[in-house]
């Protein structure tokens, strides 16, 4: 009933509004974009009907030219296709804005997963004290990454922000003006953004979305659950930050960049305080209080513009002074305003978001090798011996004696202390190691601190291994066992409060092992590492590299965390978000607040409200292992297919990601010309399947595994697993979301291709098999039947971009045939990436 009501509301305030406001495009004075609004529906119909009849994209686009235009030259046709792309990009922005504006009307304060719902449930079940107990030391942390999946330049993001408000107000005049601005604003960066540009783009969200969102949410939770005996801790909701600190595969992130970004974060939070303080002073105009707050305002101004040092403690000292006068002399008038401001200072400190350092373990080893060679005059020693000897070195290594990556790595480590001094210890307190699969990977980083002059007690930083490949996940238990027993590291952990953060990477795991196997291996690794950590007296925190789409480990995030049983440590929920997921899931106050609440309540519910569906029985566990292994074999066979990499290289948009100028990081690892599977970055890899509308990483092998059990007469076991396990159910539903965004008719033409036809048929067969068996398993009549709002959103977005996909495939076919203006067709492919990626935003 609720689903039906919301679906109808969606139709009224999203679908209908889109139709109305979309009509405004028809009369907009776009440069060279007249009549596009009239022609576009014809290209959509030609595409929709043509694909169902098995026509090729080339045939469909050519028929569109013949039937609906009088264009004859290649130049004229290309010009029209570029105009259509520009038009569709703006339609996507309009739909994004309308859907975002509708968010508060489609979600209630008491929805499942909200703080209000948690409170009501805890009262009903007499669990209020247990919820408070959990909230005492629980934390939710969102870490923003610079991974390149955000195709909106900052100028467009600001229009989107204003357009959302105009739509909320139903201001046709403002909407019309903003659409005109949108029509004349470029969607393409002429040059790649620098890491500083990426950082500033996300800092915009910190200042104008998260400062208020997290502050208001903290106040709401405090009022809901707080009492004279219970006070929330300021780390309940945290922010993390990778732009400017994430070196993995990005040569443009240097020690100088990291330092500059730390300064920008500090400046941004002080500016937020300065603005907030103005509002507080407007009310607290009383004798004594006014003078103290005026002094604080002056001190903040000096810290921002004269770079004078100020700490969070300095700010809080002033606020405590003001509060004392307010309580003793002015009847505590407007005390809540002052206390809310104090809470924000406690939450954000002088750092705003914690800047992480991340680098690949293989680069670290190169640095260690060169430093060892320079220090001891030899290179022949095993890796363990190298870090052990370097840790014992008493004199400081001079970074300037080295070049390039060695010098920069050592300078970066040396400046951690300086950043902690200005931004506070929370400003930078961990070093993440990508591709960790051995003890040396963690100990090498410890050695960096020692050789740059840190005493043991001065290393105020957590060293975080990132286990991301199948091999890394397999090795995680032995690596952590050895680390926990290592005398030097054991002492370091004790100084860090016997707490260990372990990062588990979904992106490369899915690319490496396939959807089901990767998810299971991560689940299993968490269980093993939970038990191991408890046995060693260590509080373990899992940090998930969840990314965006289900194929990268994303999907319905609340459902994912709510499905984890008591065998997995639940001390903190921490995950990465990036690109379009930042703007679509956490892009405005209403959505950010809702999604922070969803994460928070998922973690609390897991401990407080026991649910047998969360804990896997031995039988369920054995069945998932069996399914995962069958699925892994199927996916591994696909990866080993001689056409796997060539198919992506020649038939998809993989080669064009690097030309989009959306991220500072190169689109592949390795410098050679020959593309190898291991060099593929997860984002271009998953993105290329998405552009083909095949979404292979989100389902391949899953359906095959279930079908094999069905053929053995064991499908009832799978049905029981789906009904009995929240974890398995979440995997199925997220996979169905991936499939719902697939559209194989777009590439029907490849089935007859002499080189790739057989490979395409392998993909198509598995898609059909997976779709059919998952519908049979769930009893649904259609994919995403249980989530009508997402289904409707996907349907409209897919309709908007279908002509765009036709153009993209048309251009790819021309390039493959070597026909016409190759450079222009390559530009068409690159430009068509933008709208399609932006349109798939609701994937997390």
């Amino acid at each position: 009933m609720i689903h039906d009501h919301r679906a109808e509301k969606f139709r009224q305030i999203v679908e209908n509004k889109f139709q109305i406001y979309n009509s405004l495009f028809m009369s907009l004075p776009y440069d060279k974009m007249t009549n596009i609004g009239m022609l576009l529906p014809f290209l959509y119909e030609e595409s929709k009907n043509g694909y169902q009849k098995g026509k090729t994209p080339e045939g469909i686009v050519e028929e569109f030219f013949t039937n609906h235009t009088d264009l004859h030259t290649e130049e004229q046709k290309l010009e029209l296709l570029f105009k259509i792309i520009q038009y569709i990009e703006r339609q996507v922005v309009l739909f994004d804005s309308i859907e975002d504006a509708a968010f508060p009307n489609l979600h209630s304060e008491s929805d499942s997963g909200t703080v209000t719902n948690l409170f009501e449930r805890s009262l009903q079940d007499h669990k209020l004290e247990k919820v408070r107990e959990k909230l005492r030391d629980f934390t939710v942390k969102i870490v923003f990454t610079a991974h390149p999946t955000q195709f909106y330049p900052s100028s467009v993001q600001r229009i989107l922000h204003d357009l959302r408000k105009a739509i909320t107000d139903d201001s046709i005049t403002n909407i019309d003006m903003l659409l005109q601005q949108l029509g004349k604003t470029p969607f393409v960066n002429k040059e790649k953004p620098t890491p500083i540009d990426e950082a500033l783009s996300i800092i915009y969200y910190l200042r104008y979305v998260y400062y208020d969102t997290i502050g208001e949410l903290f106040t709401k939770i405090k009022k809901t659950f707080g009492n004279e005996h219970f006070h929330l801790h300021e780390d309940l909701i945290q922010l993390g930050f990778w732009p400017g600190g994430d070196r993995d595969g990005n040569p443009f992130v240097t020690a100088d960049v990291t330092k500059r970004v730390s300064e920008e974060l500090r400046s941004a939070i002080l500016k937020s305080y300065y603005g907030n303080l103005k509002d507080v002073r407007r009310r607290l105009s009383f004798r004594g209080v006014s003078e103290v707050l005026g002094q604080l305002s002056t001190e903040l101004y000096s810290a921002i513009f004269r770079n004078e040092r100020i700490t969070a403690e300095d700010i809080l000292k002033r606020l405590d002074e003001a509060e004392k006068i307010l309580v003793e002399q002015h009847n505590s008038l407007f005390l809540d305003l002052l206390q809310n401001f104090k809470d924000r200072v406690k939450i954000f400190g002088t750092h705003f978001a914690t800047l992480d350092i991340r680098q690949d373990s293989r680069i670290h080893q190169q640095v260690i090798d060169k430093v060892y060679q320079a220090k001891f005059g030899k290179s022949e020693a095993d890796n363990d011996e190298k870090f052990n000897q370097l840790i014992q070195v008493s004199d400081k290594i001079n970074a300037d004696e080295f070049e390039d990556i060695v010098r920069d790595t050592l300078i970066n480590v040396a400046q951690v202390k300086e950043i902690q001094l200005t931004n506070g210890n929370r400003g930078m307190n961990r070093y993440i190691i990508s591709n960790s699969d051995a003890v040396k990977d963690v100990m090498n980083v410890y050695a960096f601190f020692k050789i740059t002059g840190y005493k043991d007690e001065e290393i105020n930083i957590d060293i975080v291994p990132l286990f991301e490949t199948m091999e890394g996940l397999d090795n995680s238990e032995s690596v952590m066992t050895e680390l926990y027993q290592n005398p030097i590291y054991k002492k370091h952990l004790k100084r860090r409060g016997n707490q260990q953060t372990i990062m588990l990477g979904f992106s490369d795991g899915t690319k490496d092992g396939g959807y089901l196997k990767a998810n299971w291996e991560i689940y299993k690794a968490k269980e093993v590492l939970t038990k191991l950590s408890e046995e060693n007296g260590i509080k373990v925190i899992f940090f998930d590299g969840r990314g965006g789409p289900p194929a990268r480990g994303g999907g319905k995030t609340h459902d994912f965390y709510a499905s984890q049983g008591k065998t997995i440590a639940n001390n903190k929920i921490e995950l990465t978000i990036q690109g379009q997921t930042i703007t679509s899931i956490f892009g405005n106050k209403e959505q950010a607040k809702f999604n922070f609440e969803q994460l928070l309540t998922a973690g609390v519910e897991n401990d407080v409200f026991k649910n047998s569906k969360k804990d896997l029985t031995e039988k369920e566990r054995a069945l998932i292992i069996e399914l995962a292994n069958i699925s892994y074999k199927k996916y591994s066979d696909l990866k080993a297919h001689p056409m796997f990499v060539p198919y992506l290289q020649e038939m998809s948009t993989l080669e064009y990601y690097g030309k989009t100028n959306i991220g500072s990081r190169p689109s592949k690892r390795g410098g050679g010309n020959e593309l190898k599977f291991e060099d593929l970055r997860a984002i271009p890899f998953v993105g290329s399947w998405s552009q083909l509308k095949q979404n292979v990483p989100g389902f391949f092998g899953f359906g095959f595994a279930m079908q094999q059990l069905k053929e053995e007469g064991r499908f009832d076991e799978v049905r029981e697993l789906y009904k009995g396990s929240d974890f398995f159910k979440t995997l199925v539903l997220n996979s169905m979301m991936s499939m719902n965004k697939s559209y194989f008719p777009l590439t029907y033409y490849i089935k007859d291709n002499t080189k790739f036809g057989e490979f395409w048929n392998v993909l198509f067969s598995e898609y059909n098999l997976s779709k059919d068996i998952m519908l049979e398993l769930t009893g649904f009549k259609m994919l995403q039947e249980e989530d009508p709002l997402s289904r409707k959103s996907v349907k409209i977005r897919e309709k908007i971009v279908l002509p765009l996909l036709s153009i993209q495939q048309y251009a790819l076919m021309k390039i493959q045939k070597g026909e016409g203006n190759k450079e222009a067709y390559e530009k068409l492919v690159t430009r068509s990436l933008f709208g399609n990626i932006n349109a798939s935003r609701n994937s997390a």
Side-chain angles (χ1 to χ4, degrees), residues 24-77:
L24 292 173
F25 277 109
M26 299 287 191
S27 56
L28 292 184
Y30 291 159
D31 295 336
K32 299 180 177 178
M33 285 178 73
T34 49
N35 292 330
I36 301 298
M38 306 284 218
L39 286 170
L40 193 53
F42 292 119
L43 180 54
Y44 170 74
E45 287 300 326
E46 292 280 5
S47 299
K48 181 186 166 192
N49 297 330
Y51 291 129
Q52 293 305 326
K53 293 174 183 173
K55 291 181 181 178
T56 69
E58 186 179 21
I60 286 167
V61 174
E62 291 295 357
E63 279 185 32
F64 163 72
F65 286 133
T66 304
N67 297 339
H68 304 288
T69 75
D70 55 1
L71 305 177
H72 299 292
T73 69
E74 182 182 45
E75 188 180 357
Q76 289 173 324
K77 290 176 180 179

Coordinates of all heavy atoms in Angstrom, one line a residue, residues 24-77:
L24 N 10.2 23.4 -21.4 CA 10.8 24.7 -21.5 C 12.1 24.6 -22.4 O 12.5 25.7 -22.9 CB 11.2 25.1 -20.1 CG 10.1 25.4 -19.1 CD1 10.7 25.7 -17.7 CD2 9.3 26.6 -19.6
F25 N 12.7 23.4 -22.5 CA 13.9 23.3 -23.4 C 13.5 23.7 -24.8 O 14.4 24.2 -25.5 CB 14.4 21.9 -23.4 CG 15.3 21.5 -22.2 CD1 14.8 20.7 -21.2 CD2 16.5 22.0 -22.1 CE1 15.6 20.4 -20.1 CE2 17.4 21.7 -21.1 CZ 16.9 20.9 -20.1
M26 N 12.3 23.5 -25.2 CA 11.9 23.7 -26.6 C 12.1 25.1 -27.1 O 12.5 25.4 -28.2 CB 10.4 23.4 -26.8 CG 10.0 21.9 -26.5 SD 10.6 20.8 -27.7 CE 9.7 19.3 -27.2
S27 N 11.9 26.1 -26.1 CA 12.0 27.5 -26.6 C 13.3 28.2 -26.1 O 13.4 29.4 -26.2 CB 10.8 28.2 -26.0 OG 10.8 28.1 -24.6
L28 N 14.2 27.4 -25.5 CA 15.4 28.0 -25.0 C 16.4 28.4 -26.2 O 16.6 27.7 -27.1 CB 16.2 27.1 -24.1 CG 15.5 26.8 -22.8 CD1 16.4 25.9 -21.9 CD2 15.1 28.1 -22.0
P29 N 17.0 29.6 -26.1 CA 17.9 30.1 -27.1 C 19.3 29.5 -27.0 O 20.3 30.2 -26.9 CB 17.9 31.6 -26.9 CG 17.7 31.7 -25.4 CD 16.9 30.6 -25.0
Y30 N 19.4 28.2 -27.1 CA 20.7 27.5 -27.1 C 21.4 27.9 -28.4 O 20.9 28.0 -29.4 CB 20.6 26.0 -27.0 CG 20.0 25.5 -25.7 CD1 19.5 24.2 -25.7 CD2 20.1 26.2 -24.6 CE1 19.0 23.7 -24.5 CE2 19.6 25.7 -23.4 CZ 19.1 24.4 -23.3 OH 18.6 23.9 -22.2
D31 N 22.7 28.0 -28.2 CA 23.6 28.2 -29.4 C 23.4 26.9 -30.3 O 23.7 25.8 -29.8 CB 25.0 28.4 -29.1 CG 25.2 29.7 -28.3 OD1 24.4 30.6 -28.5 OD2 26.2 29.8 -27.6
K32 N 23.0 27.1 -31.5 CA 23.0 26.0 -32.5 C 22.1 24.8 -32.0 O 22.4 23.7 -32.4 CB 24.4 25.5 -32.8 CG 25.3 26.6 -33.4 CD 26.6 25.9 -33.7 CE 27.6 26.9 -34.4 NZ 28.9 26.3 -34.6
M33 N 21.2 25.0 -31.1 CA 20.4 23.9 -30.6 C 18.9 24.0 -30.9 O 18.1 23.4 -30.2 CB 20.7 23.7 -29.1 CG 22.0 23.2 -28.8 SD 22.4 23.0 -27.0 CE 21.3 21.6 -26.6
T34 N 18.6 24.8 -31.9 CA 17.1 24.9 -32.3 C 16.6 23.6 -32.8 O 17.3 22.9 -33.5 CB 16.9 26.0 -33.3 OG1 17.9 25.8 -34.4 CG2 17.2 27.4 -32.7
N35 N 15.4 23.3 -32.6 CA 14.7 22.1 -33.1 C 15.1 20.8 -32.5 O 14.6 19.7 -32.9 CB 14.7 22.0 -34.6 CG 14.0 23.2 -35.3 OD1 13.0 23.6 -34.7 ND2 14.4 23.6 -36.4
I36 N 16.1 20.8 -31.6 CA 16.6 19.5 -31.1 C 15.4 18.8 -30.3 O 15.2 17.6 -30.4 CB 17.8 19.7 -30.2 CG1 18.9 20.3 -30.9 CG2 18.2 18.3 -29.6 CD1 19.5 19.5 -32.1
G37 N 14.7 19.6 -29.6 CA 13.6 19.1 -28.8 C 12.5 18.4 -29.7 O 11.8 17.5 -29.2
M38 N 12.4 18.9 -30.9 CA 11.4 18.3 -31.8 C 12.0 17.0 -32.4 O 11.2 16.0 -32.6 CB 11.1 19.3 -33.0 CG 10.7 20.6 -32.5 SD 9.0 20.7 -32.0 CE 8.5 22.2 -32.6
L39 N 13.3 17.0 -32.7 CA 13.9 15.8 -33.4 C 14.1 14.6 -32.4 O 14.1 13.5 -32.8 CB 15.2 16.2 -34.0 CG 15.1 17.1 -35.3 CD1 16.4 17.6 -35.7 CD2 14.5 16.3 -36.5
L40 N 14.5 15.0 -31.2 CA 14.9 13.9 -30.2 C 13.9 12.8 -30.1 O 14.3 11.6 -30.0 CB 15.2 14.6 -28.9 CG 16.0 13.7 -27.9 CD1 17.2 13.1 -28.5 CD2 16.3 14.5 -26.6
P41 N 12.6 13.1 -29.9 CA 11.6 12.0 -29.8 C 11.6 11.0 -31.0 O 11.4 9.8 -30.8 CB 10.3 12.7 -29.7 CG 10.6 14.1 -29.2 CD 11.9 14.4 -29.8
F42 N 12.0 11.5 -32.2 CA 12.0 10.7 -33.3 C 13.2 9.7 -33.2 O 13.1 8.5 -33.6 CB 12.2 11.5 -34.6 CG 10.9 12.3 -34.9 CD1 10.9 13.7 -35.0 CD2 9.7 11.6 -35.2 CE1 9.8 14.4 -35.3 CE2 8.6 12.4 -35.5 CZ 8.6 13.8 -35.5
L43 N 14.4 10.2 -32.7 CA 15.5 9.4 -32.6 C 15.3 8.3 -31.5 O 15.7 7.1 -31.6 CB 16.8 10.2 -32.2 CG 18.1 9.4 -32.0 CD1 18.4 8.5 -33.2 CD2 19.3 10.3 -31.7
Y44 N 14.5 8.7 -30.4 CA 14.2 7.8 -29.4 C 13.3 6.6 -30.0 O 13.5 5.4 -29.7 CB 13.4 8.5 -28.2 CG 12.8 7.5 -27.2 CD1 13.7 6.8 -26.4 CD2 11.5 7.2 -27.3 CE1 13.1 5.8 -25.5 CE2 11.0 6.2 -26.4 CZ 11.8 5.6 -25.5 OH 11.3 4.6 -24.6
E45 N 12.3 7.0 -30.7 CA 11.4 6.0 -31.3 C 12.1 5.1 -32.3 O 11.9 3.9 -32.3 CB 10.2 6.7 -32.0 CG 9.2 7.3 -31.0 CD 8.5 6.3 -30.1 OE1 8.3 5.1 -30.5 OE2 8.3 6.6 -28.9
E46 N 12.9 5.7 -33.1 CA 13.7 4.9 -34.1 C 14.6 3.9 -33.3 O 14.7 2.7 -33.7 CB 14.6 5.8 -34.9 CG 13.9 6.7 -35.9 CD 13.5 5.9 -37.2 OE1 13.6 4.7 -37.3 OE2 12.9 6.6 -38.1
S47 N 15.2 4.3 -32.2 CA 16.0 3.5 -31.4 C 15.2 2.4 -30.7 O 15.6 1.2 -30.8 CB 16.8 4.3 -30.3 OG 17.6 5.3 -30.9
K48 N 14.2 2.8 -30.0 CA 13.4 1.8 -29.3 C 12.8 0.7 -30.2 O 13.0 -0.5 -29.9 CB 12.2 2.5 -28.6 CG 11.3 1.6 -27.7 CD 10.1 2.5 -27.2 CE 9.0 1.6 -26.7 NZ 7.8 2.3 -26.5
N49 N 12.2 1.1 -31.3 CA 11.6 0.1 -32.2 C 12.7 -0.6 -33.0 O 12.5 -1.8 -33.2 CB 10.6 0.8 -33.2 CG 9.5 1.5 -32.4 OD1 9.0 1.0 -31.4 ND2 9.0 2.6 -33.0
G50 N 13.7 0.1 -33.3 CA 14.8 -0.5 -34.1 C 15.5 -1.7 -33.4 O 15.7 -2.7 -34.0
Y51 N 15.8 -1.4 -32.1 CA 16.5 -2.5 -31.4 C 15.7 -3.7 -31.2 O 16.2 -4.8 -31.2 CB 17.0 -1.9 -30.0 CG 18.1 -0.9 -30.2 CD1 18.0 0.4 -29.6 CD2 19.2 -1.1 -31.0 CE1 19.0 1.3 -29.7 CE2 20.2 -0.2 -31.1 CZ 20.1 1.0 -30.5 OH 21.1 2.0 -30.7
Q52 N 14.4 -3.5 -31.0 CA 13.5 -4.6 -30.8 C 13.4 -5.5 -32.1 O 13.2 -6.7 -32.0 CB 12.1 -4.2 -30.4 CG 12.0 -3.5 -29.0 CD 12.6 -4.4 -27.9 OE1 12.5 -5.6 -27.9 NE2 13.3 -3.8 -26.9
K53 N 13.7 -4.8 -33.2 CA 13.7 -5.6 -34.5 C 15.0 -6.1 -34.9 O 15.2 -6.6 -36.0 CB 13.1 -4.7 -35.6 CG 11.6 -4.3 -35.4 CD 11.2 -3.3 -36.4 CE 9.8 -2.8 -36.2 NZ 9.4 -1.7 -37.1
G54 N 16.0 -5.9 -34.0 CA 17.4 -6.4 -34.3 C 18.2 -5.5 -35.2 O 19.2 -5.9 -35.7
K55 N 17.8 -4.2 -35.3 CA 18.6 -3.3 -36.2 C 19.9 -2.9 -35.5 O 19.9 -2.9 -34.3 CB 17.7 -2.1 -36.6 CG 16.6 -2.4 -37.5 CD 15.8 -1.1 -37.8 CE 14.6 -1.4 -38.7 NZ 13.8 -0.2 -39.0
T56 N 20.8 -2.5 -36.3 CA 22.1 -2.0 -35.7 C 22.0 -0.5 -35.4 O 21.2 0.2 -36.0 CB 23.3 -2.2 -36.7 OG1 23.1 -1.2 -37.8 CG2 23.3 -3.6 -37.3
P57 N 22.8 0.0 -34.4 CA 22.8 1.4 -34.1 C 23.1 2.2 -35.4 O 22.5 3.3 -35.5 CB 23.9 1.5 -33.1 CG 24.0 0.2 -32.4 CD 23.7 -0.8 -33.5
E58 N 24.0 1.7 -36.2 CA 24.4 2.5 -37.4 C 23.1 2.6 -38.3 O 22.8 3.7 -38.8 CB 25.5 1.8 -38.2 CG 26.0 2.6 -39.3 CD 27.1 1.9 -40.1 OE1 27.3 0.6 -39.9 OE2 27.9 2.5 -40.8
G59 N 22.4 1.5 -38.5 CA 21.2 1.5 -39.3 C 20.1 2.4 -38.7 O 19.5 3.2 -39.4
I60 N 20.0 2.4 -37.4 CA 19.0 3.2 -36.7 C 19.3 4.7 -36.9 O 18.4 5.5 -37.2 CB 18.9 2.9 -35.2 CG1 18.2 1.5 -35.0 CG2 18.2 4.0 -34.4 CD1 18.4 0.9 -33.7
V61 N 20.5 5.1 -36.7 CA 20.9 6.5 -36.8 C 20.8 7.0 -38.2 O 20.3 8.1 -38.5 CB 22.3 6.8 -36.2 CG1 22.7 8.2 -36.4 CG2 22.3 6.5 -34.7
E62 N 21.2 6.2 -39.2 CA 21.1 6.6 -40.6 C 19.7 6.7 -41.0 O 19.3 7.6 -41.8 CB 21.8 5.5 -41.5 CG 23.4 5.6 -41.3 CD 24.0 6.9 -41.8 OE1 23.3 7.8 -42.3 OE2 25.3 7.0 -41.6
E63 N 18.8 5.8 -40.5 CA 17.3 5.9 -40.8 C 16.8 7.2 -40.2 O 15.9 7.8 -40.8 CB 16.6 4.7 -40.3 CG 16.7 3.5 -41.2 CD 15.8 2.3 -40.7 OE1 14.8 2.6 -40.1 OE2 16.3 1.1 -40.9
F64 N 17.2 7.5 -39.1 CA 16.8 8.8 -38.4 C 17.1 10.0 -39.3 O 16.3 10.9 -39.6 CB 17.4 8.9 -37.1 CG 17.4 10.3 -36.5 CD1 16.2 10.9 -36.0 CD2 18.6 11.1 -36.4 CE1 16.2 12.2 -35.5 CE2 18.5 12.4 -35.9 CZ 17.3 12.9 -35.4
F65 N 18.4 10.0 -39.8 CA 18.8 11.1 -40.7 C 17.9 11.1 -42.0 O 17.4 12.2 -42.4 CB 20.2 10.9 -41.1 CG 21.2 11.3 -40.1 CD1 22.3 10.4 -39.8 CD2 21.1 12.5 -39.3 CE1 23.2 10.8 -38.8 CE2 22.0 12.8 -38.4 CZ 23.1 11.9 -38.1
T66 N 17.6 9.9 -42.6 CA 16.9 9.9 -43.8 C 15.4 10.2 -43.6 O 14.8 11.0 -44.4 CB 17.0 8.4 -44.4 OG1 18.3 8.1 -44.5 CG2 16.2 8.3 -45.7
N67 N 14.8 9.7 -42.5 CA 13.4 9.9 -42.3 C 13.0 11.2 -41.7 O 11.9 11.7 -41.9 CB 12.8 8.8 -41.4 CG 13.0 7.4 -42.1 OD1 13.1 7.3 -43.3 ND2 13.0 6.4 -41.2
H68 N 13.9 11.9 -41.0 CA 13.5 13.0 -40.2 C 14.3 14.3 -40.4 O 14.1 15.3 -39.7 CB 13.5 12.7 -38.7 CG 12.7 11.5 -38.4 ND1 11.3 11.5 -38.4 CD2 13.0 10.2 -38.1 CE1 10.8 10.3 -38.1 NE2 11.8 9.5 -37.9
T69 N 15.4 14.2 -41.2 CA 16.2 15.4 -41.5 C 16.4 15.4 -43.0 O 16.2 14.5 -43.8 CB 17.5 15.4 -40.8 OG1 18.4 14.4 -41.5 CG2 17.4 15.0 -39.3
D70 N 16.9 16.6 -43.4 CA 17.4 16.7 -44.9 C 18.9 16.9 -44.9 O 19.4 17.5 -45.8 CB 16.6 17.9 -45.5 CG 16.8 19.2 -44.8 OD1 17.5 19.2 -43.8 OD2 16.3 20.2 -45.2
L71 N 19.6 16.3 -43.9 CA 21.0 16.4 -43.9 C 21.7 15.3 -44.8 O 21.2 14.2 -44.8 CB 21.5 16.2 -42.5 CG 20.9 17.2 -41.4 CD1 21.5 16.9 -40.0 CD2 21.2 18.6 -41.8
H72 N 22.7 15.7 -45.5 CA 23.4 14.7 -46.4 C 24.9 14.6 -46.1 O 25.4 13.5 -46.3 CB 23.1 15.2 -47.8 CG 21.7 15.2 -48.2 ND1 20.9 14.1 -48.3 CD2 20.9 16.3 -48.4 CE1 19.7 14.4 -48.6 NE2 19.6 15.8 -48.7
T73 N 25.6 15.7 -45.8 CA 27.0 15.6 -45.6 C 27.3 15.0 -44.2 O 26.6 15.2 -43.2 CB 27.7 17.0 -45.7 OG1 27.3 17.8 -44.6 CG2 27.3 17.6 -47.0
E74 N 28.5 14.4 -44.1 CA 28.9 13.9 -42.8 C 29.1 15.0 -41.8 O 28.7 14.8 -40.6 CB 30.3 13.1 -43.0 CG 30.8 12.5 -41.7 CD 32.1 11.8 -41.8 OE1 33.0 12.4 -42.5 OE2 32.3 10.7 -41.3
E75 N 29.6 16.1 -42.2 CA 29.8 17.3 -41.3 C 28.5 17.7 -40.7 O 28.4 18.0 -39.5 CB 30.5 18.4 -42.1 CG 30.9 19.5 -41.2 CD 31.6 20.7 -42.0 OE1 31.7 20.6 -43.2 OE2 31.9 21.7 -41.3
Q76 N 27.4 17.8 -41.5 CA 26.1 18.3 -41.0 C 25.6 17.2 -40.0 O 25.0 17.6 -39.0 CB 25.1 18.4 -42.2 CG 25.4 19.6 -43.1 CD 24.5 19.5 -44.3 OE1 24.2 18.5 -44.8 NE2 24.1 20.7 -44.8
K77 N 25.7 16.0 -40.3 CA 25.2 14.9 -39.5 C 25.9 14.9 -38.1 O 25.3 14.8 -37.0 CB 25.3 13.5 -40.1 CG 24.4 13.4 -41.3 CD 24.7 12.0 -42.0 CE 23.8 11.8 -43.2 NZ 24.1 10.5 -43.9

